[in-house]
Amino acid sequence: MSYPSPLWQPGPGEPAPIADAPRPPAPVAAALLPISRRGGALLWVAAVLLVPVLALLVLYFVRFLGPAASIVGVLLAAVPFVVVWLAVRLVDRWEPEPRRLLAFAVAWGAIASVAIALGVDALLAFLAGGLTDAFSAVVQAPIVEEVAKGAGLLLLYVGARRSFDGPVDGIVYGALIGAGFAFTENVQYFAVSFIEGGAVQVGGVFFLRAVLSPFAHVMFTSLTGFALGLAARRSLRTAAALRYVFPGLIGAIVLHALWNGSATFFNFFEVYATLQVPLFVLFILGILALRREEARLTRARLGEYAAAGWFTAQEVDMLATGTGRRSALAWARAQPGDRAAVMRTFIRDATALAATRQRALSGRDATAAAQESALLQRTTAARAALLAR
């Protein structure tokens, strides 16, 4: 069994062998029915609880910042959020996560994490009578905020394991939780600067937060997500996964504290140029390396299905590279009736099949066999539709 790197090594297990493809192909009339990828009752409960918390946050902003400043803050905060959203979706293109889970990640970051941070701030102010600004920025904020955001990742890990397959998925979910948190935080920063200094001051704050550092929270929380992604790759239960969570969370807290400390104790622009920019470059290179390994994993797993007759070698080559996928979509568009949508379904389901096989390799996913059967039916049906005359 081949794996792109130790990062993709699953836990030990004895997965079921792949059945040979039927000859002739089995009927596929109902095979395009959607596959259930339910996020779990835990996520539904959490999503419902976010609604009243959102109402309280809106009331908080309107009451203490005013409607006009709050609207200015929302409009300006939307700019870096959209940039981050588009960048994360590019990372997620190989094996896209369900949109409802992406929305949950953003909502958790923008609503629950912020509410938890505000609540802890208020509690500490009440108990300790207020802490120094330096302590709050460099110690309290990194710990409280990263733990709050990490809790959302843990909820996704527990409630949506079928859609949490590995490091890239963890980075995607962590990045969107961080982006959601940054959005709400930016609303407050932009609104306050607008109240205190008008357009000139809000322009300076916008440059610092939206131009220089739109990916700061994204990077922090992505470390926790990456760690949980490694646990997901090994199909670990929640208690065992915590062994991975803590190192990732500590890394996120340290990066966050370093970022805040650069503005509190040092010359921000010097630290930004000499440390933060190189860290961001490493972050990008790491993501590109993980994406490359994701493509290699797709090739390896689909190659096993090709050996059983479910795919041709040419189809595996096409599905395992970005160039091959683009060429396949161009070919599908040129077919009668424009079959690009069917080709996208074929690519998506084949990629999901590779991820399902990877989960099954641990022997711990009780749903893998049913998921595999449904995806094999769907890919067979999609191929039939693509080749129909």
Side-chain angles (χ1 to χ4, degrees), residues 1-4 295-305 316 320 354 358:
M1 194 69 68
S2 63
Y3 305 103
R296 292 169 62 192
L297 180 142
T298 300
R299 179 185 293 276
R301 298 290 78 81
L302 291 184
E304 296 165 20
Y305 288 103
V316 172
Q358 184 70 18

mmCIF file of all heavy atoms in Angstrom, residues 1-4 295-305 316 320 354 358:
data_model
loop_
_atom_site.group_PDB
_atom_site.id
_atom_site.type_symbol
_atom_site.label_atom_id
_atom_site.label_comp_id
_atom_site.label_asym_id
_atom_site.label_seq_id
_atom_site.Cartn_x
_atom_site.Cartn_y
_atom_site.Cartn_z
ATOM 1 N N MET A 1 0.854 -1.192 0.000
ATOM 2 C CA MET A 1 0.000 0.000 0.000
ATOM 3 C C MET A 1 0.887 1.239 0.000
ATOM 4 O O MET A 1 1.798 1.352 0.822
ATOM 5 C CB MET A 1 -0.886 -0.007 1.241
ATOM 6 C CG MET A 1 -2.041 0.989 1.183
ATOM 7 S SD MET A 1 -3.264 0.505 -0.047
ATOM 8 C CE MET A 1 -3.950 -0.973 0.692
ATOM 9 N N SER A 2 0.662 2.153 -0.931
ATOM 10 C CA SER A 2 1.522 3.334 -1.037
ATOM 11 C C SER A 2 0.816 4.566 -0.490
ATOM 12 O O SER A 2 -0.394 4.717 -0.621
ATOM 13 C CB SER A 2 1.902 3.574 -2.504
ATOM 14 O OG SER A 2 0.747 3.844 -3.281
ATOM 15 N N TYR A 3 1.611 5.445 0.126
ATOM 16 C CA TYR A 3 1.098 6.709 0.662
ATOM 17 C C TYR A 3 2.059 7.809 0.243
ATOM 18 O O TYR A 3 3.287 7.612 0.222
ATOM 19 C CB TYR A 3 0.988 6.654 2.185
ATOM 20 C CG TYR A 3 0.154 5.501 2.665
ATOM 21 C CD1 TYR A 3 0.745 4.357 3.183
ATOM 22 C CD2 TYR A 3 -1.232 5.527 2.573
ATOM 23 C CE1 TYR A 3 -0.008 3.278 3.596
ATOM 24 C CE2 TYR A 3 -1.998 4.452 2.981
ATOM 25 C CZ TYR A 3 -1.381 3.334 3.495
ATOM 26 O OH TYR A 3 -2.134 2.271 3.895
ATOM 27 N N PRO A 4 1.541 8.980 -0.091
ATOM 28 C CA PRO A 4 2.418 10.060 -0.541
ATOM 29 C C PRO A 4 3.483 10.427 0.479
ATOM 30 O O PRO A 4 4.598 10.764 0.129
ATOM 31 C CB PRO A 4 1.443 11.225 -0.767
ATOM 32 C CG PRO A 4 0.120 10.572 -1.022
ATOM 33 C CD PRO A 4 0.124 9.347 -0.170
ATOM 34 N N ALA A 295 -3.220 15.216 -4.506
ATOM 35 C CA ALA A 295 -3.355 14.690 -5.861
ATOM 36 C C ALA A 295 -2.699 13.316 -5.980
ATOM 37 O O ALA A 295 -3.237 12.402 -6.620
ATOM 38 C CB ALA A 295 -2.733 15.672 -6.862
ATOM 39 N N ARG A 296 -1.545 13.142 -5.352
ATOM 40 C CA ARG A 296 -0.866 11.843 -5.393
ATOM 41 C C ARG A 296 -1.692 10.777 -4.673
ATOM 42 O O ARG A 296 -1.746 9.621 -5.108
ATOM 43 C CB ARG A 296 0.515 11.977 -4.753
ATOM 44 C CG ARG A 296 1.488 12.831 -5.553
ATOM 45 C CD ARG A 296 2.730 13.133 -4.750
ATOM 46 N NE ARG A 296 3.458 11.917 -4.395
ATOM 47 C CZ ARG A 296 4.456 11.900 -3.494
ATOM 48 N NH1 ARG A 296 4.802 13.007 -2.876
ATOM 49 N NH2 ARG A 296 5.071 10.763 -3.230
ATOM 50 N N LEU A 297 -2.319 11.163 -3.574
ATOM 51 C CA LEU A 297 -3.165 10.214 -2.862
ATOM 52 C C LEU A 297 -4.354 9.792 -3.722
ATOM 53 O O LEU A 297 -4.730 8.621 -3.759
ATOM 54 C CB LEU A 297 -3.648 10.835 -1.557
ATOM 55 C CG LEU A 297 -4.548 9.969 -0.673
ATOM 56 C CD1 LEU A 297 -4.212 10.195 0.798
ATOM 57 C CD2 LEU A 297 -6.017 10.307 -0.914
ATOM 58 N N THR A 298 -4.957 10.760 -4.424
ATOM 59 C CA THR A 298 -6.067 10.434 -5.320
ATOM 60 C C THR A 298 -5.632 9.424 -6.366
ATOM 61 O O THR A 298 -6.347 8.448 -6.656
ATOM 62 C CB THR A 298 -6.591 11.717 -5.999
ATOM 63 O OG1 THR A 298 -7.051 12.636 -5.003
ATOM 64 C CG2 THR A 298 -7.740 11.399 -6.952
ATOM 65 N N ARG A 299 -4.461 9.635 -6.931
ATOM 66 C CA ARG A 299 -3.952 8.696 -7.936
ATOM 67 C C ARG A 299 -3.747 7.305 -7.338
ATOM 68 O O ARG A 299 -4.123 6.287 -7.937
ATOM 69 C CB ARG A 299 -2.633 9.211 -8.526
ATOM 70 C CG ARG A 299 -2.030 8.274 -9.571
ATOM 71 C CD ARG A 299 -0.669 8.765 -10.023
ATOM 72 N NE ARG A 299 -0.769 10.007 -10.752
ATOM 73 C CZ ARG A 299 -1.047 10.102 -12.049
ATOM 74 N NH1 ARG A 299 -1.288 8.997 -12.750
ATOM 75 N NH2 ARG A 299 -1.107 11.270 -12.644
ATOM 76 N N ALA A 300 -3.165 7.256 -6.130
ATOM 77 C CA ALA A 300 -2.880 5.968 -5.515
ATOM 78 C C ALA A 300 -4.153 5.192 -5.202
ATOM 79 O O ALA A 300 -4.261 3.990 -5.489
ATOM 80 C CB ALA A 300 -2.060 6.171 -4.237
ATOM 81 N N ARG A 301 -5.138 5.863 -4.626
ATOM 82 C CA ARG A 301 -6.369 5.162 -4.243
ATOM 83 C C ARG A 301 -7.188 4.778 -5.473
ATOM 84 O O ARG A 301 -7.736 3.681 -5.544
ATOM 85 C CB ARG A 301 -7.199 6.024 -3.304
ATOM 86 C CG ARG A 301 -6.538 6.373 -1.972
ATOM 87 C CD ARG A 301 -6.396 5.179 -1.042
ATOM 88 N NE ARG A 301 -5.297 4.305 -1.406
ATOM 89 C CZ ARG A 301 -4.012 4.541 -1.089
ATOM 90 N NH1 ARG A 301 -3.681 5.616 -0.418
ATOM 91 N NH2 ARG A 301 -3.079 3.704 -1.450
ATOM 92 N N LEU A 302 -7.311 5.680 -6.445
ATOM 93 C CA LEU A 302 -8.086 5.342 -7.641
ATOM 94 C C LEU A 302 -7.375 4.275 -8.465
ATOM 95 O O LEU A 302 -8.022 3.508 -9.194
ATOM 96 C CB LEU A 302 -8.329 6.591 -8.491
ATOM 97 C CG LEU A 302 -9.267 7.637 -7.885
ATOM 98 C CD1 LEU A 302 -9.501 8.783 -8.861
ATOM 99 C CD2 LEU A 302 -10.601 7.014 -7.469
ATOM 100 N N GLY A 303 -6.045 4.226 -8.347
ATOM 101 C CA GLY A 303 -5.316 3.164 -9.035
ATOM 102 C C GLY A 303 -5.730 1.789 -8.540
ATOM 103 O O GLY A 303 -5.738 0.812 -9.319
ATOM 104 N N GLU A 304 -6.091 1.690 -7.267
ATOM 105 C CA GLU A 304 -6.562 0.419 -6.730
ATOM 106 C C GLU A 304 -7.907 0.035 -7.349
ATOM 107 O O GLU A 304 -8.157 -1.147 -7.635
ATOM 108 C CB GLU A 304 -6.683 0.522 -5.212
ATOM 109 C CG GLU A 304 -5.337 0.760 -4.523
ATOM 110 C CD GLU A 304 -5.495 1.213 -3.084
ATOM 111 O OE1 GLU A 304 -6.581 0.986 -2.504
ATOM 112 O OE2 GLU A 304 -4.543 1.800 -2.535
ATOM 113 N N TYR A 305 -8.772 1.032 -7.569
ATOM 114 C CA TYR A 305 -10.056 0.743 -8.226
ATOM 115 C C TYR A 305 -9.839 0.421 -9.703
ATOM 116 O O TYR A 305 -10.555 -0.408 -10.274
ATOM 117 C CB TYR A 305 -11.002 1.934 -8.077
ATOM 118 C CG TYR A 305 -11.539 2.096 -6.681
ATOM 119 C CD1 TYR A 305 -11.027 3.066 -5.833
ATOM 120 C CD2 TYR A 305 -12.552 1.276 -6.199
ATOM 121 C CE1 TYR A 305 -11.505 3.219 -4.546
ATOM 122 C CE2 TYR A 305 -13.041 1.421 -4.915
ATOM 123 C CZ TYR A 305 -12.513 2.389 -4.091
ATOM 124 O OH TYR A 305 -12.986 2.525 -2.814
ATOM 125 N N VAL A 316 -7.694 7.498 -14.504
ATOM 126 C CA VAL A 316 -6.947 7.798 -13.280
ATOM 127 C C VAL A 316 -5.971 8.935 -13.530
ATOM 128 O O VAL A 316 -5.857 9.865 -12.714
ATOM 129 C CB VAL A 316 -6.207 6.542 -12.764
ATOM 130 C CG1 VAL A 316 -5.281 6.914 -11.600
ATOM 131 C CG2 VAL A 316 -7.193 5.479 -12.331
ATOM 132 N N ALA A 320 -6.292 12.597 -11.528
ATOM 133 C CA ALA A 320 -5.256 12.841 -10.530
ATOM 134 C C ALA A 320 -4.426 14.086 -10.791
ATOM 135 O O ALA A 320 -3.487 14.355 -10.052
ATOM 136 C CB ALA A 320 -4.334 11.624 -10.431
ATOM 137 N N ALA A 354 -11.871 8.253 -3.613
ATOM 138 C CA ALA A 354 -10.489 8.080 -3.151
ATOM 139 C C ALA A 354 -10.375 8.414 -1.669
ATOM 140 O O ALA A 354 -9.694 7.712 -0.912
ATOM 141 C CB ALA A 354 -9.547 8.958 -3.975
ATOM 142 N N GLN A 358 -9.426 5.977 1.497
ATOM 143 C CA GLN A 358 -8.369 6.318 2.446
ATOM 144 C C GLN A 358 -8.874 6.175 3.890
ATOM 145 O O GLN A 358 -8.166 5.677 4.758
ATOM 146 C CB GLN A 358 -7.885 7.754 2.197
ATOM 147 C CG GLN A 358 -6.727 8.193 3.065
ATOM 148 C CD GLN A 358 -5.427 7.498 2.727
ATOM 149 O OE1 GLN A 358 -5.278 6.934 1.648
ATOM 150 N NE2 GLN A 358 -4.472 7.543 3.644
#
